[in-house]
Amino acid sequence: MALIVIGIVLVIAVIWLISSYNKFIKMGNKVEEAFSTMDVFLKKRYDLIPNLVETIKGYAKHESQTLEKVIAARSSAMNATSMDEKIKCEQKFQSMIGSLFAISEQYPQLKANENFMSLQADLKSIEDDIANARKYYNAVCLKFNNLVMMFPTNILAGIFHFTKKPMYEVNDASQRENVNVQF
C-alpha cells in the first residue's frame, strides 16, 4: 500500500514538473512574440523618422545638430541586440523624437506642409500601435516574471535557469508625457 501511495505521489510530482516546465516555455515564447510585435512597430517608426527629419531640414537648416542627434539615437535603437539594450536605446530615442516636435513648433510654414502633416499622422498612428504593443509585452512579462518568482515554480525556475524578463518601463519623467504630435 505504501508503494502505491509513493508511486502516486511520484506520478503527480512528475506531471506537475512537466506541466510547469511547459508553462515556462510557453510564457517565454509569448514574451519573445510580444517583444517581436513591438519591434515591428518600432522598425516602422525608425523607417518613418528619416523622412520626417528630411522634411524638417528644409525648413530648419540651423537645427542640424538636433536632427543629427535624432538620427544617432535612431541608429543606436535599431542596432541594439538584446531586449535590455533595445529597451534602453528606445527610451533615449523616444525622448529625442520630442525634440523634433519642439523644432517644428517654431516653424509655422512647416506645420502647413502637406508632406509633414502626412508624416505626422503616420507617426501618431505608429505611436498608438507601439503603446498597445508595449502594454501587451509588459502584461506577458508580468505573467512570466510571476512564474519565476512565485512558489513553487520559483524552484523550477532556479533549476532550469529561467530568469525575469525586462519590463518596458519609462525611467525619465519627461518621457511619461505623451508625445505631442498635434500641430
Side-chain angles (χ1 to χ4, degrees), residues 17-18 20-21 24-25 153-163:
L17 181 71
I18 292 169
S20 295
Y21 180 82
F24 273 109
I25 298 301
T153 53
N154 65 336
I155 297 168
L156 193 59
I159 292 170
F160 291 105
H161 307 288
F162 293 114
T163 57

Side-chain angles (χ1 to χ4, degrees), residues 31 34-35 38 83-91 133-146 149 163-171:
V31 168
F35 190 82
M38 183 172 55
M83 277 189 205
D84 284 332
E85 183 183 4
K86 190 147 193 95
I87 288 171
K88 287 177 186 168
C89 290
E90 172 57 28
Q91 289 171 340
R134 284 179 185 151
K135 286 180 203 174
Y136 175 65
Y137 169 77
N138 282 340
V140 173
C141 281
L142 176 66
K143 288 180 182 179
F144 183 86
N145 292 344
N146 284 343
M149 297 174 67
T163 57
K164 286 177 59 177
K165 302 292 183 182
M167 299 287 278
Y168 193 101
E169 299 174 338
V170 176
N171 298 324

Side-chain angles (χ1 to χ4, degrees), residues 49-146:
I49 292 301
N51 295 330
L52 193 59
V53 167
E54 286 302 316
T55 302
I56 292 172
K57 271 185 187 178
Y59 290 90
K61 291 182 177 32
H62 66 282
E63 302 284 358
S64 62
Q65 185 179 24
T66 302
L67 298 175
E68 287 169 9
K69 287 180 183 178
V70 170
I71 294 299
R74 172 189 173 265
S75 295
S76 293
M78 286 180 66
N79 295 327
T81 54
S82 70
M83 277 189 205
D84 284 332
E85 183 183 4
K86 190 147 193 95
I87 288 171
K88 287 177 186 168
C89 290
E90 172 57 28
Q91 289 171 340
K92 182 178 179 187
F93 179 59
Q94 181 72 31
S95 68
M96 293 306 299
I97 290 175
S99 64
L100 278 180
F101 299 125
I103 291 171
S104 64
E105 285 295 319
Q106 300 170 14
Y107 298 91
Q109 64 274 48
L110 173 61
K111 293 190 287 186
N113 179 292
E114 190 174 310
N115 187 34
F116 181 76
M117 295 302 287
S118 174
L119 291 169
Q120 174 250 322
D122 291 346
L123 183 60
K124 180 172 181 0
S125 174
I126 291 170
E127 288 294 336
D128 290 344
D129 292 338
I130 290 170
N132 289 330
R134 284 179 185 151
K135 286 180 203 174
Y136 175 65
Y137 169 77
N138 282 340
V140 173
C141 281
L142 176 66
K143 288 180 182 179
F144 183 86
N145 292 344
N146 284 343

